Amino acid sequence: MQTLMELFIGTGAPRDKLERFLDGDPAGAGSVRDQIAADMTNQLLEALGRRDRQTRNDVKRIRARGNWMSLHQRPRE
């Protein structure tokens, strides 16, 4: 299974142009990359039986706070 980035690169577009597209935020509510992350999160939550929904703005806030960087660590007790 190819990653999404590999599929984008397969189009022949230069990587820096793809990165600019993914980081684009025309509406100011989160980038295209944030929308992709929100969609994947929503599909995963749905598969787990959860009705929670994430928007690209939610993903943008999480990324901006940097909290996602410590998700692999145990919480402090």
Side-chain angles (χ1 to χ4, degrees):
M1 180 189 231
Q2 292 181 313
T3 66
L4 187 57
M5 194 61 174
E6 289 170 339
L7 293 172
F8 283 150
I9 291 170
T11 66
R15 188 177 182 101
D16 62 321
K17 191 171 188 175
L18 292 171
E19 290 290 343
R20 283 195 314 269
F21 165 73
L22 291 171
D23 291 335
D25 187 3
S31 66
V32 173
R33 189 183 310 265
D34 293 339
Q35 181 63 52
I36 292 169
D39 289 345
M40 290 187 322
T41 301
N42 291 334
Q43 289 177 16
L44 179 60
L45 288 171
E46 187 176 320
L48 295 171
R50 302 285 309 261
R51 299 213 183 268
D52 304 358
R53 300 290 299 167
Q54 286 243 319
T55 66
R56 71 170 98 184
N57 199 25
D58 296 332
V59 174
K60 181 180 178 181
R61 276 196 311 272
I62 291 168
R63 187 173 36 77
R65 287 191 310 227
N67 291 351
W68 62 274
M69 298 177 94
S70 62
L71 291 177
H72 68 286
Q73 299 171 351
R74 288 185 72 142
R76 285 184 250 150
E77 295 185 35

